[in-house]
Amino acid sequence: MLQERIALTGNEAMALAMKQINPDVVAAYPITPQTEIVQLFSSYVANGMVKTEFITVESEHSAMSAVVGAAASGVRAMTATSSQGLAYMFEVLYIAASNQLPIVMPVVNRALSGPINIHGDHSDTMGARDAGWIQLYSENTQEAYDNLIQAIRIAEHSDVQLPVMVCMDGFIISHALENLEILADEDVQQFIGEFIPHRPTLLNLDSPVTVGPLALYDYYMEIKRAQAEAMMRAKPVIRQVGQEYKALTGRCYDLLEPYKLDDADIAIVVLSSTAGTTRVVVDELRQEGVKAGVLKPRVFRPFPYEEIREVLAPVKAIAILDRADSYAGFGGPLFKEIRAALYDAPARPPVVNYIYGLGGRDANLNDIRAVYRDLDKIAATGWTDQLVRYLGVREEAIVHA
Amino acid sequence: MPNLKELMQHESFFSPGHRMCAGCVAPLVVRQVALAVGDTPVVVANATGCLEVASTIFPYTAWRCSFIHNAFANAAATLSGVETAYRALKKQGKINKEIKFIAFGGDGGTYDIGLQSLSGAMERGHNMLYICYDNGAYMNTGIQRSSATPLFADTTTSPAGQVSSGKSQWRKDLTAIMAAHNIPYAAQVAPSHFMDLMTKVQKALSVDGPSFINAMAHCPRGWRYDTREGVELTRLSVETCYWPLYEVDHGKWKLSYKPKEKKPIETWIRKQGRFRHLFTDKGQTEIKWLQQRVDEEWSKLLERCKEVG
């Protein structure tokens, strides 16, 4: 496999992957920090580098609506968004999933208003975690590129037929230049294959179809159950696609990415770009003889609770880092689900939560070191009275905007 | 256009057996559109509303053609995706048949919540016909006022009361707003004038680009009248010049019908329960205002159409 090594920003890598996927229809609307993806893709269209029909919609609500219409017509359809744009799509996200349309969408993670903020956190995609979309989180430019290509295969798999959002941290990754290996156009095309509609489509005049009917208490539950089944079937498909992608590129993708977890006493669980920072601290701590590890979930939907339980059960104290709060008075979304997954572990390890990096606040090495120090204490006593903490916040300077 | 008898030979893309109310005109509008379309293949999109919920109750459907309902605000955006997919496949040589794209929405889904989506689709120039069936309120949720509701109409969110005479604003002139998008074709129709309606549908479908048709559509529940009188009421909305029939064909405004004798607005509103509160001593002032505004709007339209008043 001939791969080219080049330097791209996260947005450029996503746009390049979209170009190589060469979808039939793209409908998109600009929003910081996703804008570059739309701009670059527009230039591909303008220069005849893709076959795509591009719809310059007047809002994200219409972007997702148009993509639903296109996907229901039996074509490969994509969009991309961030933050408020994703929130604006909210109702249509559920409809896309319910109709089991294999739409793929890069989401450049950005904090939700208010206060308005353009920088990276996960409040946008975490807000959409129950919309019925598969969610893949990317640590760096390479993963963003690779995830987007694999997402096509996952979404369109006959066992799945669900929409996928491929998440990447706003600015930290979207605007950072990194080296990555890219595939040749024809290899991407060969990997994703021809788009084959698995459901009746609007444009097949021989068999007209009614998409999006009214289903009340007599059918709604069965339709939703079918959707839930598809999400459960996605797990082996994601793994299988990861295996095939590894055979093609040599890069390994699974549901989870554990690092030095086998013998770890203490561990941090964290999504996306902060996983890299955390691994640096783990290497330091290992030098000092501290048995520290990291777990980076790549897939948040479907939630790999069995796999998470398996790798985390032997750890003595665990910190879940959430780049989003759920304002429940009980920590962030990743915390709650992972803590629940560990309920069935033979020896339930203490699991604490750190809300960090909101609105793009940096999570630096010192922040991560502090978490491991806390974990060390918790592991020693097996107990803590403070389940949820805020990392890197000036507690003495809490303000009302 | 073939005559009505010939048109009736075609199988309509909208079948009987839907569950719209007795006396509702929305299915009448759809059937007249279907007659005008004839054998041309169509894909229909429908905004959430009475027509959608009563015609697609799973596992049944009243639509013989392909149909998509997405949400309330986005029929136009959804259909723009379908139409674009069609163009993509056509360009790739994967489809060669001519297909027409028609969206239906009520006034709530068109004048109000769906206006942005509609405006965007019209501005982008998709090859689609958007038809609004305007019954002048959110009838599906139980008769709440919309921006299409007539002045002084009693609705559940603009109720007539001790200090209120019903809705206090004139309706939004959506057809003119659509014409201002400089789309090739925009028109106003009423199912009481069915040949006019069908001719305009055919015109709308023959242009290159987007078109918009606004259809007056009475609702027995919201307007509160004897169901037998529905089409007659629609006719009166035209005869009183509350709902003039006209078209804007490539920017040229043209009146389609000029009543020989313009009837007083009272003849239309007297038959509707939603205006009952006006028929008191106090209400006479409101009726006068209503008449005055109808006259003003009619004069404006005549001027636009270069007709002598």
Side-chain angles (χ1 to χ4, degrees):
Chain A
M1 179 51 47
L2 199 65
Q3 295 189 83
E4 194 188 342
R5 193 162 175 82
I6 58 168
L8 294 176
T9 67
N11 277 342
E12 288 167 349
M14 285 284 208
L16 173 67
M18 274 177 80
K19 184 180 97 178
Q20 294 181 314
I21 291 162
N22 200 0
D24 300 295
V25 172
V26 168
Y29 188 80
I31 181 168
T32 305
Q34 156 268 34
T35 311
E36 269 179 318
I37 298 178
V38 178
Q39 286 180 176
L40 285 166
F41 200 82
S42 300
S43 74
Y44 303 147
V45 174
N47 291 301
M49 296 160 86
V50 285
K51 66 173 186 217
T52 312
E53 292 291 322
F54 188 63
I55 318 178
T56 48
V57 280
E58 82 299 333
S59 73
E60 291 90 352
H61 192 281
S62 285
M64 187 46 63
S65 302
V67 165
V68 163
S73 303
V75 303
R76 191 173 268 153
M78 297 180 77
T79 181
T81 195
S82 287
S83 184
Q84 304 305 112
L86 186 68
Y88 200 22
M89 289 177 178
F90 194 70
E91 62 165 342
V92 196
L93 293 177
Y94 283 72
I95 294 164
S98 171
N99 284 317
Q100 293 202 234
L101 299 171
I103 296 160
V104 172
M105 169 167 70
V107 181
V108 187
N109 284 113
R110 161 185 153 182
L112 282 177
S113 296
I116 186 168
N117 178 300
I118 55 167
H119 294 282
D121 78 23
H122 299 156
S123 51
D124 50 2
T125 49
M126 282 299 162
R129 67 187 182 275
D130 295 338
W133 284 58
I134 291 168
Q135 289 192 337
L136 308 178
Y137 285 82
S138 322
E139 182 181 329
N140 50 38
T141 304
Q142 181 75 65
E143 286 191 14
Y145 173 84
D146 290 340
N147 279 338
L148 198 61
I149 293 166
Q150 290 175 74
I152 296 287
R153 285 281 306 278
I154 296 163
E156 294 173 8
H157 195 284
S158 59
D159 287 352
V160 181
Q161 294 285 297
L162 284 176
V164 182
M165 49 183 90
V166 177
C167 313
M168 157 177 88
D169 285 343
F171 289 105
I172 300 165
I173 302 304
S174 69
H175 286 62
L177 198 66
E178 287 188 290
N179 283 324
L180 75 157
E181 286 180 346
I182 59 162
L183 293 164
D185 292 356
E186 52 275 21
D187 291 327
V188 174
Q189 278 300 313
Q190 207 182 350
F191 183 77
I192 62 173
E194 182 103 356
F195 180 80
I196 302 160
H198 286 272
R199 302 171 82 79
T201 65
L202 293 170
L203 296 177
N204 182 357
L205 297 175
D206 299 330
S207 62
V209 61
T210 288
V211 177
L214 174 77
L216 300 174
Y217 38 66
D218 49 354
Y219 281 101
Y220 184 88
M221 271 195 84
E222 286 71 22
I223 293 168
K224 299 317 276 184
R225 185 73 177 87
Q227 188 189 326
E229 280 289 333
M231 186 59 89
M232 290 176 219
R233 286 196 300 265
K235 228 159 77 168
V237 171
I238 294 168
R239 296 188 108 154
Q240 180 207 319
V241 171
Q243 291 290 323
E244 287 180 43
Y245 198 74
K246 188 187 173 189
L248 180 68
T249 63
R251 293 186 292 278
C252 188
Y253 287 93
D254 204 334
L255 304 169
L256 307 172
E257 194 184 317
Y259 183 71
K260 300 193 176 169
L261 261 188
D262 286 343
D263 63 339
D265 291 330
I266 52 176
I268 283 177
V269 183
V270 65
L271 298 170
S272 301
S273 64
T274 311
T277 316
T278 310
R279 274 196 295 270
V280 172
V281 176
V282 164
D283 287 344
E284 279 176 14
L285 292 171
R286 287 273 168 176
Q287 293 276 316
E288 297 164 18
V290 181
K291 288 182 176 173
V294 193
L295 178 65
K296 183 188 77 176
R298 169 185 175 235
V299 181
F300 185 60
R301 289 287 180 270
F303 185 65
Y305 67 97
E306 287 159 313
E307 294 77 4
I308 286 176
R309 186 175 65 222
E310 202 184 306
V311 294
L312 288 182
V315 181
K316 291 187 184 125
I318 301 156
I320 315 297
L321 268 54
D322 264 298
R323 203 162 197 154
D325 200 343
S326 62
Y327 306 99
F330 186 56
L334 194 59
F335 167 63
K336 282 191 277 259
E337 297 201 14
I338 290 182
R339 199 171 147 89
L342 285 162
Y343 187 82
D344 295 325
R348 272 182 227 148
V351 184
V352 294
N353 189 207
Y354 290 80
I355 308 284
Y356 82 102
L358 301 186
R361 175 155 303 182
D362 271 344
N364 58 34
L365 295 170
N366 276 334
D367 293 320
I368 304 296
R369 285 180 192 122
V371 174
Y372 278 115
R373 276 200 300 276
D374 290 348
L375 280 178
D376 229 3
K377 284 181 216 153
I378 296 167
T381 59
W383 184 83
T384 175
D385 59 355
Q386 199 185 352
L387 273 184
V388 182
R389 306 165 199 223
Y390 288 79
L391 192 62
V393 73
R394 300 189 299 280
E395 295 285 355
E396 73 289 354
I398 293 173
V399 288
H400 299 280
Chain B
M1 188 163 74
N3 65 33
L4 194 58
K5 211 171 174 183
E6 288 158 351
L7 285 170
M8 293 298 283
Q9 305 304 313
H10 293 286
E11 189 182 61
S12 167
F13 63 63
F14 190 66
S15 76
H18 57 75
R19 304 188 204 177
M20 301 292 276
C21 300
C24 171
V25 84
L28 197 62
V29 170
V30 177
R31 293 202 60 206
Q32 290 183 6
V33 171
L35 283 179
V37 165
D39 291 332
T40 311
V42 295
V43 177
V44 165
N46 198 177
T48 306
C50 291
L51 177 64
E52 168 265 327
V53 296
S55 66
T56 65
I57 304 176
F58 191 81
Y60 306 105
T61 181
W63 300 90
R64 292 197 181 103
C65 59
S66 274
F67 169 98
I68 182 166
H69 160 250
N70 191 341
F72 196 4
N74 60 3
T78 305
L79 197 60
S80 72
V82 179
E83 185 262 355
T84 306
Y86 167 70
R87 275 189 287 115
L89 292 179
K90 215 169 176 196
K91 216 157 122 188
Q92 293 167 29
K94 290 179 181 167
I95 200 165
N96 48 32
K97 278 202 176 124
E98 277 305 313
I99 303 178
K100 297 291 183 188
F101 299 91
I102 304 177
F104 289 103
D107 49 289
T110 309
Y111 283 70
D112 287 353
I113 199 168
L115 183 62
Q116 174 183 309
S117 163
L118 172 61
S119 175
M122 295 288 118
E123 183 270 334
R124 292 191 300 269
H126 296 278
N127 251 313
M128 65 158 81
L129 164 60
Y130 190 106
I131 300 172
C132 173
Y133 66 99
D134 177 352
N135 52 27
Y138 291 87
M139 300 310 187
N140 193 36
T141 42
I143 317 159
Q144 290 79 36
R145 65 87 86 185
S146 75
S147 59
T149 303
L151 179 66
F152 300 134
D154 171 63
T155 73
T156 55
T157 52
S158 65
Q162 292 297 321
V163 294
S164 161
S165 306
K167 196 206 179 197
S168 55
Q169 300 86 6
W170 189 254
R171 70 174 179 86
K172 188 188 278 178
D173 190 356
L174 184 63
T175 313
I177 293 168
M178 287 300 109
H181 282 67
N182 294 316
I183 54 176
Y185 190 77
Q188 224 164 254
V189 301
S192 49
H193 300 67
F194 54 85
M195 286 309 279
D196 177 67
L197 187 152
M198 292 191 289
T199 308
K200 284 172 174 168
V201 168
Q202 292 187 337
K203 265 191 183 175
L205 289 173
S206 71
V207 301
D208 184 21
S211 49
F212 174 81
I213 289 180
N214 208 353
M216 173 50 79
H218 48 268
C219 165
R221 298 259 302 108
W223 293 22
R224 286 179 278 148
Y225 60 82
D226 187 339
T227 51
R228 287 173 304 178
E229 289 206 89
V231 177
E232 189 49 33
L233 270 171
T234 308
R235 185 185 310 282
L236 283 175
S237 72
V238 177
E239 297 287 340
T240 56
C241 300
Y242 176 79
W243 191 261
L245 306 182
Y246 66 93
E247 62 183 7
V248 187
D249 191 349
H250 294 86
K252 201 167 172 291
W253 288 65
K254 192 175 164 241
L255 199 65
S256 316
Y257 174 77
K258 197 172 180 182
K260 282 199 184 77
E261 188 194 342
K262 180 162 162 265
K263 290 199 164 77
I265 194 67
E266 199 181 319
T267 54
W268 181 55
I269 63 172
R270 185 177 281 283
K271 288 169 179 276
Q272 303 175 47
R274 61 177 172 163
F275 294 110
R276 185 171 298 143
H277 58 287
L278 297 183
F279 291 92
T280 59
D281 290 345
K282 198 172 128 253
Q284 287 307 306
T285 318
E286 274 87 348
I287 294 177
K288 256 185 228 152
W289 285 351
L290 199 53
Q291 184 64 60
Q292 205 183 322
R293 187 68 193 262
V294 170
D295 294 345
E296 280 170 26
E297 295 295 326
W298 175 243
S299 301
K300 261 199 287 187
L301 181 67
L302 290 180
E303 215 172 288
R304 269 176 163 164
C305 297
K306 299 193 170 55
E307 292 270 341
V308 183

